[in-house]
Amino acid sequence: CKWAVILYAFSYTPNVTLSLPLGMGNPCLATQYHNLQSSPVISVTSCHQTGYNFQNDNHVAAGYYLPHGLRPNGAPAPESPRIEITAYTQCPEDQVEERNCDDHIIKRGVNSIVTLTLPNADGYRDPNCLSPASSISSRSCNSEASSYESGFYNYDNSLQNSPWQSPCVSPRGSSSLLSCPHASGPAASPNISPSTSPQIGAVAEEGWPAQPRDSRPNSPSLSGGGGCNNISIACVGKRKYSFNDTPYQQTSCSPHQSATPSPHGSPRVSVTDENWLANANQYTNSAIVAAINALTTDGVVDMGEGIPVKTRKMVDHSPSMSLKVEPSGEEVSHEGEISPEDYPSRLVLKKENYCGGFLEVPQHPYPWSKPKQYLSPTNTPSLPALDWQLPSSSGPYSLQIELQPKSHHRAHYETEGSRGAVKALSGGHPVVQLYGYMESEPLTLQLFIGTADDRLLRPHAFYQVHRITGKTVSTASHEVLQSNTKILEIPLLPENNMRAIIDCAGILKLRNSDIELRKGETDIGRKNTRVRLVFRVHINQPNGRTVSLQASSNPIECSQRSAQELPLVEKQSVDSYPANGGKMMVLSGLNFLPDSKVVFVEKAQDGHHLWEMEAKVDKDSVKSNALFVEIPPYRNQRISNPLQVNFYVCNGKRKRSQYQNFTYLPPTVPMIKTEPSDEYDSLGTSVLPMHSKPYFGHPRLNPIMPVAEHDACLAGAYPPCPSLNAAIPSPSPNSSPTLHDLSPVTFSKCLPNSPTHAAPSSQMVTTFQENGRPVLTHPASPDHGSPLAMLQTQGSPSHLNSPGPHGFHPVYANSSPSSSPASHASTPSGSAESPFIQAYSPSQAQAAATSAQAGGNSPSLLHEESSPPAITVKQEPQELDQMYLDDGEFPQS
DNA sequence: CCTCTGGAAGGAAGT
DNA sequence: GCACTTCCTTCCAGA
């Protein structure tokens, strides 16, 4: 079905009119939704403060979601913006039912135009559809918290457009956090997920049963819940989605509450391989996002209606079902600091509960008092949304994970007891330290569970951090909820050298069904079992601004099965080698078997395999943690430019490791790095950052080593930076930058990292000026204005959304030279400031790539730089591939 | 008695 | 629609 979506914001003066073709490129639209075959067009008219978020994902296709008239704060919307959706072709299903919910929305049958009245800004959609799913890992781009929030705030606060800014700009917000670590902390932060926020006041929260304390949900048996009023079901990909009739679904029942952090707002799109490919082309998304941004996103509440939700079995949905709420003990209980309300999301709703979610504002089972204020936008100081990519270092500050967590940690379900704190490889616990902070005032280290796929880092919808207490826990902590994401706050004390041992963080697994039912949730939980620990610290500056730093850990596999069966490549001794191959490469990792196979693959942009070659494995030398492989010759040994391919370890059907990067070098090109079989030479390796394993752990990083230059890059290599890989020349001729998504992000991430301090994870930094525009900020350079560096995420629209009225749209941003990656490169210590890359153009990408290399790398790198081709951006949905393909198509079979 | 863990049963979901 | 495979979630039991 083709849809034309027209958004009218009557309330406000339309500032923008956008017509966005939703191109094929948009995986969500095009691919994911089978229904949508042609490119839908979205016309957006008006933008105004309250933004509306729009997702281009299924929901859109589906049609819509109905916003409520209520504003987040409960106030009636001034005017109702309207969304008209025109289906050019018929929708497969009658999904589009005509109904009148809350009067806000009216849907019409297929082919007809659907007019949605957007109450206020409330309505919102997550543009991020892009984020594919996490599934594969977690791919969704946005968490509610993030973009939406940002949008939300921005609008609300004209001055501070984006939350982000605020962090930088707004002293108070930050200050509060800083000053009072425990205090509302994050919660207070503006970021509050729209979902929460909006509703809070009004309906939802109360409705939400916040589950109090018991972290353990009732037994599953309860189930029932489910969907309450699902009108129609649309199949998206493999999953079925239903539209909820109930206006307040989200609010009231929302799965969100379920504990998952993922913001409602951000709908995630599960990505299938196909989708992924589509995703590659994010421009479209960007455009959409921009449009959406213009509209604004506030809307948590809105989401609820109209938005297709993954459905449960029919049985589950009975509206009438009573809502059971269980208190999620932990959350609430802690310190009492957090009121139940605070945890709406966290509260885990049992399935039953979810039903409640659908019910309108179920009565609050618990006597909780009013929703906390943090919900209110006003309260929220503005801290960067959780899905924003932040640099690990800025100016003198550097947040580093000195001891990485183990690559596997079995998460516990609510129905289980805790499975303990995440441990470090060494047997201890992860250690995080903030360098460069000389003040005497303690800071608060925030920790939340983020995604680990190749997409932008964001809160993981299916996992939450779980506070561990007990005699064995030496680190104090407390939980706060932000945008449905549970955050553990840990004091960073000067007396401890601003170093914290993370022995108080466990990982809670939320039921896939619960999360998938959330409105706006597009990610799928199946096989989306990798996470990262994401650490953040907000440092107040004398000038009133706040510097926010973020460091994410290596990926952690949280499923029982995966931990036991899937091979994991943590390190590879060689990142690149001449096309003729023949060199032995040592892979270190886990779960290697004598029968393990190593397959080199070259993929086209569309994901198709152009070339596959099984490498010779020295079976005699195989160890569970080491594999000796002979690099196979590339199909074309006359390549003129470095060519990036992938390889993976396979233990059998559907038991493949993540894709690892490998670069074939032109024979003529001097080998940049030939690593001895011994351990990686981190530096040397760094030449082609991409090579570093993007997906799992930073093998190279020596947790203990404070500085890993490579790390920065490596970090980039990690999921967060998969894009880096993209940076590498892709074999496919076609690889138009545009098609590949995100390089920008990737680059940015890499760039930012300072050689000295490399934080593994996302490093991107974008700062916002007071006007709300993102600007690269260099702490050092006051001129820039905003200390806070925020990073836009890759192509994901959501990220783009952030800026509100002033909003800066990545797309637009591109033009600005200042933000060009190149600038970053210039930065001596890349770490300090990552250039802000808003939009990327191929050229930029290249530049970025180049700069990146230049920035942090050893001279050896120069070689590579010399080869332009390397610049080609190619990004692959590796994980996705794997995940989905695995299931079904094992490619090479 | 409670928490932490490893293992696995049973069923749902996907092929 | 069926059979089979995988994966998810819940249970159980031991330390």
Side-chain angles (χ1 to χ4, degrees):
Chain A
C1 296
K2 293 179 181 178
W3 295 86
V5 176
I6 298 172
L7 301 179
Y8 298 92
F10 293 93
S11 311
Y12 303 86
T13 303
N15 297 332
V16 177
T17 298
L18 300 177
S19 288
L20 303 177
L22 299 181
M24 310 297 292
N26 183 327
C28 299
L29 296 178
T31 315
Q32 213 170 2
Y33 309 96
H34 52 279
N35 293 342
L36 300 179
Q37 293 182 345
S38 42
S39 53
V41 174
I42 295 174
S43 298
V44 175
T45 299
S46 105
C47 39
H48 109 20
Q49 337 172 319
T50 39
Y52 295 80
N53 257 347
F54 213 157
Q55 289 177 340
N56 40 358
D57 61 358
N58 335 349
H59 303 305
V60 172
Y64 17 17
Y65 73 98
L66 309 177
H68 285 289
L70 297 178
R71 293 178 67 96
N73 59 4
E79 289 211 327
S80 1
R82 196 176 53 190
I83 295 173
E84 293 182 355
I85 298 173
T86 302
Y88 292 96
T89 58
Q90 192 168 5
C91 289
E93 296 180 0
D94 294 346
Q95 305 167 346
V96 178
E97 291 179 356
E98 182 172 358
R99 61 178 176 174
N100 190 343
C101 293
D102 282 316
D103 297 346
H104 292 292
I105 299 168
I106 298 171
K107 291 181 181 179
R108 294 190 179 181
V110 173
N111 294 339
S112 60
I113 294 172
V114 175
T115 298
L116 301 179
T117 299
L118 300 181
N120 282 323
D122 293 353
Y124 106 153
R125 216 166 223 302
D126 187 347
N128 294 331
C129 54
L130 304 181
S131 72
S134 39
S135 49
I136 304 219
S137 9
S138 33
R139 40 234 39 263
S140 54
C141 306
N142 329 325
S143 59
E144 297 170 349
S146 57
S147 350
Y148 294 91
E149 293 175 353
S150 62
F152 175 82
Y153 290 103
N154 291 342
Y155 295 103
D156 290 348
N157 299 332
S158 62
L159 294 180
Q160 298 174 343
N161 294 332
S162 65
W164 324 52
Q165 289 178 345
S166 57
C168 301
V169 175
S170 72
R172 55 178 174 170
S174 61
S175 65
S176 64
L177 291 177
L178 295 178
S179 63
C180 303
H182 296 289
S184 47
S189 71
N191 295 340
I192 299 163
S193 65
S195 54
T196 359
S197 59
Q199 304 195 346
I200 298 167
V203 178
E205 281 208 351
E206 294 175 351
W208 298 58
Q211 307 190 345
R213 337 228 94 235
D214 210 2
S215 56
R216 294 182 182 181
N218 298 343
S219 63
S221 57
L222 297 180
S223 70
C228 302
N229 306 322
N230 292 331
I231 297 171
S232 59
I233 298 171
C235 295
V236 172
K238 295 178 181 179
R239 302 248 171 202
K240 294 179 181 179
Y241 295 83
S242 61
F243 296 96
N244 288 335
D245 292 348
T246 309
Y248 296 93
Q249 292 174 341
Q250 273 189 335
T251 51
S252 58
C253 307
S254 77
H256 296 295
Q257 288 183 343
S258 66
T260 327
S262 67
H264 307 298
S266 57
R268 295 188 175 95
V269 175
S270 20
V271 176
T272 57
D273 289 347
E274 303 141 5
N275 292 342
W276 168 250
L277 293 177
N279 284 343
N281 184 346
Q282 304 243 337
Y283 289 115
T284 301
N285 293 333
S286 301
I288 294 170
V289 171
I292 294 169
N293 289 340
L295 295 179
T296 30
T297 62
D298 158 333
V300 174
V301 173
D302 307 348
M303 299 282 303
E305 293 179 351
I307 296 171
V309 175
K310 293 175 184 177
T311 52
R312 289 190 176 203
K313 290 182 180 180
M314 298 303 293
V315 174
D316 294 324
H317 313 291
S318 54
S320 63
M321 295 182 66
S322 62
L323 172 61
K324 290 181 181 178
V325 174
E326 286 186 354
S328 55
E330 301 169 354
E331 300 136 359
V332 173
S333 64
H334 302 308
E335 280 69 329
E337 295 173 355
I338 298 169
S339 64
E341 293 82 350
D342 291 349
Y343 291 94
S345 61
R346 303 246 163 211
L347 306 183
V348 173
L349 296 181
K350 292 182 176 188
K351 291 179 181 179
E352 312 77 353
N353 294 340
Y354 285 107
C355 293
F358 294 99
L359 298 179
E360 276 188 6
V361 182
Q363 294 180 343
H364 199 295
Y366 299 88
W368 292 345
S369 52
K370 310 168 179 180
K372 285 188 175 180
Q373 293 192 340
Y374 68 83
L375 294 178
S376 77
T378 57
N379 290 343
T380 59
S382 27
L383 288 181
L386 299 180
D387 61 352
W388 283 74
Q389 314 299 301
L390 301 176
S392 61
S393 19
S394 177
Y397 310 117
S398 179
L399 182 63
Q400 298 182 33
I401 297 175
E402 307 245 320
L403 200 50
Q404 289 285 342
K406 291 175 63 174
S407 57
H408 288 131
H409 175 83
R410 180 173 163 180
H412 65 272
Y413 282 83
E414 294 169 308
T415 52
E416 298 181 304
S418 168
R419 287 189 176 275
V422 173
K423 298 175 181 61
L425 281 174
S426 61
H429 293 279
V431 175
V432 177
Q433 185 163 5
L434 174 64
Y435 291 93
Y437 180 79
M438 309 311 241
E439 305 300 320
S440 59
E441 183 179 359
L443 296 179
T444 296
L445 177 68
Q446 298 183 318
L447 164 60
F448 64 90
I449 303 300
T451 58
D453 54 20
D454 50 349
R455 291 178 180 69
L456 294 180
L457 176 65
R458 64 179 194 74
H460 204 297
F462 301 90
Y463 292 89
Q464 290 282 357
V465 64
H466 175 258
R467 178 172 176 251
I468 302 292
T469 57
K471 314 174 200 175
T472 59
V473 178
S474 62
T475 305
S477 66
H478 93 124
E479 293 177 330
V480 294
L481 182 62
Q482 178 178 331
S483 304
N484 293 320
T485 297
K486 194 181 290 186
I487 297 174
L488 208 54
E489 294 192 326
I490 299 163
L492 268 183
L493 309 174
E495 50 265 44
N496 292 335
N497 294 320
M498 302 307 285
R499 180 187 183 91
I501 296 173
I502 315 301
D503 60 357
C504 55
I507 301 175
L508 171 68
K509 173 66 168 66
L510 302 176
R511 281 190 294 250
N512 292 337
S513 59
D514 289 348
I515 303 308
E516 291 170 351
L517 285 177
R518 290 179 175 178
K519 287 184 180 179
E521 179 57 61
T522 57
D523 273 356
I524 59 175
R526 189 179 176 83
K527 298 181 76 172
N528 184 0
T529 57
R530 290 191 307 142
V531 309
R532 280 181 290 176
L533 299 183
V534 184
F535 299 93
R536 281 187 172 186
V537 64
H538 305 284
I539 308 167
N540 279 338
Q541 300 290 285
N543 61 5
R545 293 178 181 174
T546 300
V547 172
S548 295
L549 301 179
Q550 172 177 302
S552 62
S553 72
N554 291 340
I556 301 170
E557 174 56 59
C558 294
S559 74
Q560 177 186 16
R561 175 178 173 273
S562 297
Q564 299 173 337
E565 304 176 356
L566 298 178
L568 171 65
V569 178
E570 295 182 331
K571 296 181 180 180
Q572 61 193 72
S573 62
V574 181
D575 290 326
S576 60
Y577 197 78
N580 53 314
K583 179 182 178 63
M584 286 301 288
M585 174 170 66
V586 181
L587 302 181
S588 41
L590 297 172
N591 300 329
F592 295 144
L593 302 173
D595 292 338
S596 293
K597 295 179 180 178
V598 176
V599 179
F600 279 69
V601 178
E602 178 186 7
K603 291 182 179 181
Q605 290 182 344
D606 62 0
H608 288 90
H609 289 196
L610 297 175
W611 170 74
E612 291 183 6
M613 173 68 81
E614 181 175 336
K616 293 179 182 178
V617 175
D618 181 354
K619 296 185 177 181
D620 296 335
S621 305
V622 174
K623 295 179 182 177
S624 64
N625 62 351
L627 209 54
F628 295 82
V629 185
E630 180 180 325
I631 297 169
Y634 180 61
R635 56 172 175 159
N636 174 6
Q637 301 187 19
R638 294 184 179 181
I639 57 175
S640 58
N641 295 313
L643 182 92
Q644 182 183 9
V645 299
N646 301 116
F647 71 86
Y648 59 84
V649 177
C650 175
N651 281 353
K653 186 177 181 181
R654 299 186 186 184
K655 294 181 182 179
R656 290 192 300 164
S657 68
Q658 294 290 307
Y659 279 104
Q660 306 299 314
N661 290 316
F662 185 82
T663 300
Y664 278 111
L665 305 174
T668 58
V669 175
M671 294 173 51
I672 293 172
K673 170 186 180 180
T674 301
E675 295 290 325
S677 48
D678 58 342
E679 291 292 329
Y680 291 95
D681 166 346
S682 56
L683 293 178
T685 310
S686 65
V687 172
L688 294 180
M690 317 45 198
H691 298 300
S692 61
K693 331 344 229 1
Y695 300 97
F696 277 97
H698 288 250
R700 300 176 181 178
L701 294 182
N702 177 335
I704 297 171
M705 300 289 293
V707 175
E709 303 169 358
H710 333 24
D711 295 354
C713 292
L714 291 179
Y718 273 72
C721 293
S723 43
L724 287 181
N725 299 341
I728 294 174
S730 68
S732 67
N734 295 341
S735 58
S736 63
T738 57
L739 296 180
H740 300 289
D741 66 346
L742 21 160
S743 15
V745 172
T746 305
F747 292 107
S748 61
K749 290 181 180 179
C750 295
L751 296 178
N753 298 339
S754 65
T756 19
H757 310 283
S761 37
S762 57
Q763 320 297 346
M764 304 174 75
V765 176
T766 300
T767 56
F768 292 84
Q769 292 179 339
E770 321 244 63
N771 64 1
R773 282 200 177 191
V775 174
L776 287 180
T777 297
H778 191 304
S781 61
D783 296 350
H784 290 295
S786 54
L788 174 60
M790 306 296 297
L791 189 49
Q792 292 279 355
T793 56
Q794 309 169 333
S796 76
S798 60
H799 301 289
L800 299 181
N801 295 345
S802 58
H806 298 294
F808 147 101
H809 189 289
V811 172
Y812 302 115
N814 289 347
S815 62
S816 74
S818 63
S819 60
S820 74
S823 64
H824 295 293
S826 63
T827 304
S829 63
S831 60
E833 316 329 352
S834 54
F836 167 82
I837 299 170
Q838 296 172 341
Y840 47 92
S841 60
S843 63
Q844 287 182 338
Q846 291 178 346
T850 302
S851 64
Q853 289 178 345
N857 299 325
S858 62
S860 61
L861 295 180
L862 297 178
H863 291 291
E864 303 223 351
E865 291 178 353
S866 64
S867 61
I871 296 169
T872 306
V873 174
K874 172 183 181 178
Q875 180 152 8
E876 304 225 344
Q878 299 174 349
E879 291 180 355
L880 292 181
D881 268 359
Q882 182 176 357
M883 305 301 284
Y884 285 91
L885 290 179
D886 284 352
D887 257 4
E889 11 176 346
F890 183 57
Q892 298 60 3
S893 58

